[in-house]
Amino acid sequence: MFVSDCLKVNEKGHLTIGGCDTVELAKTYGTPVYVMDETTIRNACRAYKKSFDMYYGGNGMALFASKALNCLEICRIIKEEGLGLDVVSGGELYTALKAGFPAEKIHFHGNNKTSDEIRMALEAKVGRIVLDNLYELETVNQIAGEMGISADVSMRIKPGIDAHTHSFIRTGQIDSKFGFALETGEAMEAVKKVISYPHIILKEVHCHIGSQIFDIDPFVHAAEVMMDFIQDIRKQTGVTIECLNLGGGFGIQYTKEDTPKSYDSYMEKVSQAVKSKAKEYQLPIPYIYLEPGRSIVGEAGITLYRVGGIKEIPNIRTYVSVDGGMTDNPRYALYKSGYTCLIANKAAQPAAYKVTVAGKCCESGDLIQEDTMIAQPEVGDILAVLSTGAYNYSMSSNYNRIPKPPIVMIKEGQPREIVRRQSYEDLIRNDI
Ligand SMILES: *Cc1c(COP(=O)(O)O)cnc(C)c1O
């Protein structure tokens, strides 16, 4: 009925998540609150693992792109499930290490890592540093040299693929701030440079063509282009790259219009493409990494708000204001992202009212969704926004000095806080 299997409606007509009544959760933990279902997260991890086993002989690993959601408990869950982790900053790396995440399964991304971050990553002995540009190559080589070690690196390549998604979250084409371009020869020049550096070992090439992608074809195409590139590298330099990282970007269901494919159908096609290219070029079958972010945590999470003011502007629209907004979910303000909204305490009632859900920030653009259908709203209702598990908490801010909501995790019908609500004292903690 809803976008995620962990959501149901109980006999009171209330929305439940992981078997817990969301109206009760809102009472216990206050609003706004992020609520997540642990089983859904673990099942997503296992689905990736299973499809690697089924279609690629287990010769690969999913790395959770932790920018989608990073906190200690999430790192622990991902570790327990045996996935690796992508980080893009010292802060994400710090969190992962504090959670006891094995460093060798961490890949360090980012288009402008600072020297301090690179040193921190090398000292922690992360599995890979993903080089984005030549300036970074110099820095990594120099710091690794000072430390008397060599750094295992990957290189981020722009394969020149248009993944038919919103331009803000499209990264595989030439005009992107990320990585080395293939078509211009920049990538090959960079590879030659990288392998000539004494304190760098090139282990892997990487691409990430975008996010919230439903078509399998662009992924298959990217895999082929990258295999061609691996062959080219061998021809031109004699070096055989053993690992291929195909990035993340698998779409999830935010609204009924979204139609995700199973990871199995993705893995089946992509592994076919990789294997047949390997055969054609007589290359070893590469170890494959994938980097799912939103597809691991997105559908597992919802946000609960309390409805405050309702403003009917005749013949124009009805604003339903909630006690959060762009501070806990900036994605509509940033990308006009679609979301499913519903009144959690009226989850069995027909969604017959067209409303615009607004936040409480001093910005007209502070909206969660425009012209969306919900049950008749009243002050005090609990409004649920679905599929907020990815890029909500991790993109949240303290604009207007609004404290960040807690994250409540449900496991086997039992809720527990995994991130506390920020207090007003937290807000002034670093003020002098
Ligand atoms: C954002 C990102 C991901 C994850 O993208 P999702 O759409 O959340 O799966 C993976 N790899 C890289 C390099 C990214 O930048």
Side-chain angles (χ1 to χ4, degrees), residues 138-333:
E138 302 290 339
T139 316
V140 173
N141 186 61
Q142 190 193 334
I143 295 175
E146 285 164 19
M147 291 172 64
I149 58 167
S150 43
D152 287 345
V153 304
S154 176
M155 288 176 69
R156 177 145 185 180
I157 307 299
K158 286 183 269 195
I161 289 170
D162 179 349
H164 314 291
T165 177
H166 194 294
S167 65
F168 288 11
I169 43 179
R170 198 173 61 188
T171 53
Q173 77 285 23
I174 283 193
D175 185 12
S176 161
K177 73 167 181 171
F178 298 106
F180 300 96
L182 206 57
E183 296 110 299
T184 59
E186 181 195 18
M188 185 57 78
E189 283 313 302
V191 164
K192 288 177 183 165
K193 219 163 178 177
V194 167
I195 56 184
S196 75
Y197 274 56
H199 302 291
I200 303 271
I201 302 170
L202 179 59
K203 292 263 180 179
E204 173 188 323
V205 286
H206 168 279
C207 70
H208 170 71
I209 58 173
S211 279
Q212 189 60 2
I213 301 166
F214 296 113
D215 283 353
I216 291 179
D217 293 350
F219 288 117
V220 172
H221 188 198
E224 288 170 348
V225 168
M226 293 300 282
M227 286 300 286
D228 292 346
F229 186 50
I230 288 176
Q231 164 67 353
D232 240 15
I233 293 173
R234 187 173 65 174
K235 270 209 312 235
Q236 295 201 29
T237 71
V239 172
T240 304
I241 306 287
E242 286 162 12
C243 300
L244 173 60
N245 190 325
L246 294 169
F250 316 101
I252 65 164
Q253 204 171 31
Y254 288 102
T255 70
K256 290 255 157 63
E257 277 81 69
D258 299 326
T259 51
K261 312 276 187 311
S262 75
Y263 311 138
D264 283 355
S265 57
Y266 164 84
M267 270 313 290
E268 187 181 3
K269 292 229 170 86
V270 168
S271 62
Q272 257 169 22
V274 171
K275 283 181 198 159
S276 86
K277 283 281 183 187
K279 194 163 173 210
E280 180 186 339
Y281 297 138
Q282 295 185 322
L283 280 167
I285 291 177
Y287 189 85
I288 287 188
Y289 293 100
L290 297 178
E291 301 175 323
R294 92 185 59 224
S295 53
I296 298 284
V297 290
E299 290 175 6
I302 64 173
T303 308
L304 302 174
Y305 303 98
R306 195 168 288 275
V307 172
I310 298 171
K311 203 166 276 177
E312 239 183 279
I313 307 177
N315 305 320
I316 300 186
R317 66 171 80 230
T318 299
Y319 284 101
V320 173
S321 291
V322 295
D323 52 359
M326 64 188 289
T327 43
D328 58 80
N329 183 357
R331 293 189 70 255
Y332 189 80

Side-chain angles (χ1 to χ4, degrees), residues 1-8 15 17 40 252-260 298-302 338-342 384-389:
M1 168 170 182
F2 295 117
V3 295
S4 172
D5 294 340
C6 61
L7 304 172
K8 305 243 152 48
L15 177 71
I17 175 165
T40 304
I252 65 164
Q253 204 171 31
Y254 288 102
T255 70
K256 290 255 157 63
E257 277 81 69
D258 299 326
T259 51
E299 290 175 6
I302 64 173
Y339 279 102
T340 302
C341 303
L342 66 112
V385 180
L386 310 186
S387 297
T388 59

